[in-house]
Amino acid sequence: MLLVPEINEVEVRFISKMLSRLVGEMNAEVCDQCGKCSSACPVSKEIEGFNPRQMIAKVSMGRLDGLLKEDAIWTCTTCLKCRERCPEDISPYDVILILRNLAYRAGYSYPAGYDDFIKGVKESGFISRPQAVRGRGGVKVSRADLGLPEVSGPGDMAKFDGVIEGIIRAGK
Amino acid sequence: MRYALYLGCTIQSEQYGYEASVRETLPKLGVELVDMKGASCCGFPALNSVSKLGWHYLSARNLAIAEDMGLPLLPLCNGCHLSFVETKHFLKEDPELKNIINMNLEKEGLHYEGSTRVVHLLEVLHDEIGAQGIGEKVVKPIGGVKLAAHPGCHAIRPSDLQRVDDAEDPQKLNSLIKALGAETFDYPEKIDCCGSQLAVASGRTTLKIAGDKLKAVRSYGFDGLVTTCPFCFKMYDGRQRAIRGALKDDTLEVPVFYYTQLLGLAMGSSPDRLGLQMNMSPVDGLVERMTE
């Protein structure tokens, strides 16, 4: 089931495996639509239209494409309450993250912040680099000011970046 | 007790109060912290949403470094801890995935076997040292202060993976707070989310989710909030001013602490050694009460 053609083969195999494990056997009978996921969800309370129960209904009916293009899949806080409380062991959280992976591969829109995360990791090994931080008194303090040791990253950044590039960008 | 200390992105680049207080307190409790060479981001949340394979690669790579060191891995962040535990789980279940990751790790001169034990700070403090052991080191008990425990989502859920405490009724942080002489009690919003992982998509909603919890904490009469997660801390402490703005509530002021900062105060360390000057929430009054 190739939803998106021409994606890196390994990544697709992996994502497909995750997807089929989570929703492959899912049909309208697997989820009782009890709504424990939505009632536990901190985002459902705040953002109209964010509804994990409905997302699972759409997935179980095979209506993935619309979901992949919706902003909603990007607004989960990953609190995991839906996964914890589902009486049928369906995990809306995991389904949402798989949908994000697919949407990203398919070239649909996603929050720009993820590009910054990836850039940071590829350049230094980390999302962010040590910075001087303002404390309560307004004075900026560095790691050294607090006697904290220097941070080390991947020893060979070129090799590290090459591997990450190969995994993330392949097929994009 | 000897651990490979894994700081992760957020702590090592800005949450210095956490790192300073961990380095100040744990050695005094008999814990040796060994810094890691060559570590990287755990992959969560940077890659989890866009490249599952990349996420597991980054987590496995840090686990492999700890394997080389022959030490259990101690990540200080809830998100990193879950990331390592989940990656270990997936790679054990899926030998093909483990092979693909090892083929890539080889390019960096690393190898993942899966033998690294992953421990959480709350486990070190509660399960290994124990509330009693901590109580014995307290020289300045924190009396007459009511503190709300916020363990954070990723420390306790999902219960089908190895987590730190009960998913619906976590009590370890409460017991550790009591060991310092402070009061604590349960409240309905205790296991609710701080909202921080939504910041990348909707900053306004994030502030609302965090603000609602701070309002609840205030309404129950707590003097402050305690956590061990850098993301949660950043929301409740660093973003508290923005929360006041978003909720249009200038009176919403809740002192927020890392547990290790309070532990340090109770063990007699000076506030500066615990990075308490870095907390952005109004902690001065409480710190004075605790150190007088």
Side-chain angles (χ1 to χ4, degrees), chain A residues 66-87:
Chain A
L67 274 177
L68 290 173
K69 291 174 183 162
E70 280 174 22
D71 290 343
I73 58 170
W74 298 97
T75 57
C76 161
T77 65
T78 76
C79 81
L80 293 153
K81 275 193 183 170
C82 58
R83 171 161 166 177
E84 188 64 37
R85 294 187 179 166
C86 175

Side-chain angles (χ1 to χ4, degrees), chain B:
Chain B
M1 286 175 285
R2 203 160 173 257
Y3 301 102
L5 178 66
Y6 179 81
L7 295 170
C9 304
T10 307
I11 295 167
Q12 71 182 22
S13 64
E14 53 164 286
Q15 290 298 314
Y16 303 148
Y18 193 12
E19 184 180 342
S21 58
V22 164
R23 290 188 191 274
E24 169 73 7
T25 53
L26 264 64
K28 291 181 181 170
L29 292 162
V31 178
E32 190 184 341
L33 302 168
V34 184
D35 284 301
M36 296 173 74
K37 284 198 182 72
S40 61
C41 171
C42 73
F44 185 111
L47 298 186
N48 189 344
S49 294
V50 294
S51 171
K52 287 268 180 196
L53 194 59
W55 161 44
H56 290 309
Y57 179 77
L58 285 178
S59 270
R61 143 175 222 293
N62 292 300
L63 286 162
I65 293 171
E67 240 171 65
D68 271 351
M69 295 168 77
L71 292 174
L73 185 62
L74 173 60
L76 298 179
C77 166
N78 283 354
C80 303
H81 184 273
L82 176 60
S83 183
F84 294 136
V85 167
E86 202 163 0
T87 294
K88 264 186 81 172
H89 171 79
F90 275 123
L91 298 197
K92 196 176 169 189
E93 253 194 6
D94 191 337
E96 191 194 355
L97 175 64
K98 186 174 162 183
N99 275 342
I100 294 168
I101 283 183
N102 267 327
M103 273 157 47
N104 282 288
L105 281 173
E106 236 171 65
K107 297 175 197 165
E108 287 200 78
L110 292 165
H111 180 79
Y112 173 89
E113 208 41 62
S115 58
T116 302
R117 188 163 68 94
V118 183
V119 288
H120 191 279
L121 181 66
L122 286 177
E123 293 174 317
V124 172
L125 293 170
H126 183 276
D127 303 349
E128 311 230 356
I129 298 163
Q132 197 185 335
I134 286 173
E136 285 164 8
K137 298 278 183 181
V138 169
V139 292
K140 288 184 176 176
I142 301 171
V145 176
K146 285 180 278 199
L147 299 169
H150 173 81
C153 301
H154 295 160
I156 57 173
R157 290 185 288 268
S159 56
D160 55 299
L161 292 173
Q162 167 223 324
R163 297 321 293 136
V164 178
D165 204 342
D166 191 276
E168 300 287 353
D169 183 24
Q171 290 297 333
K172 289 184 183 177
L173 184 53
N174 292 60
S175 134
L176 290 169
I177 290 170
K178 285 182 201 155
L180 307 179
E183 289 172 43
T184 185
F185 49 86
D186 283 335
Y187 58 107
E189 294 81 359
K190 180 177 164 188
I191 59 169
D192 285 359
C193 179
C194 73
S196 72
Q197 296 305 308
L198 185 49
V200 64
S202 174
R204 204 192 55 82
T205 313
T206 302
L207 295 176
K208 175 71 167 46
I209 290 172
D212 282 350
K213 177 141 174 175
L214 282 180
K215 281 205 302 204
V217 163
R218 180 180 59 177
S219 75
Y220 302 125
F222 285 114
D223 299 307
L225 180 81
V226 184
T227 190
T228 60
C229 177
F231 280 107
C232 304
F233 182 90
K234 192 174 164 178
M235 277 314 301
Y236 295 128
D237 178 88
R239 305 287 290 152
Q240 197 173 116
R241 205 169 134 190
I243 289 170
R244 279 195 289 274
L247 268 57
K248 296 187 174 55
D249 182 351
D250 289 340
T251 65
L252 186 55
E253 294 199 324
V254 179
V256 183
F257 300 92
Y258 282 113
Y259 177 76
T260 40
Q261 292 182 313
L262 298 176
L263 174 64
L265 288 177
M267 285 166 58
S269 295
S270 75
D272 277 4
R273 299 276 303 165
L274 302 163
L276 272 155
Q277 67 273 39
M278 308 307 292
N279 299 41
M280 296 304 282
S281 57
V283 296
D284 288 313
L286 265 190
V287 171
E288 270 171 40
R289 261 171 80 185
M290 292 172 194
T291 50
E292 64 191 19

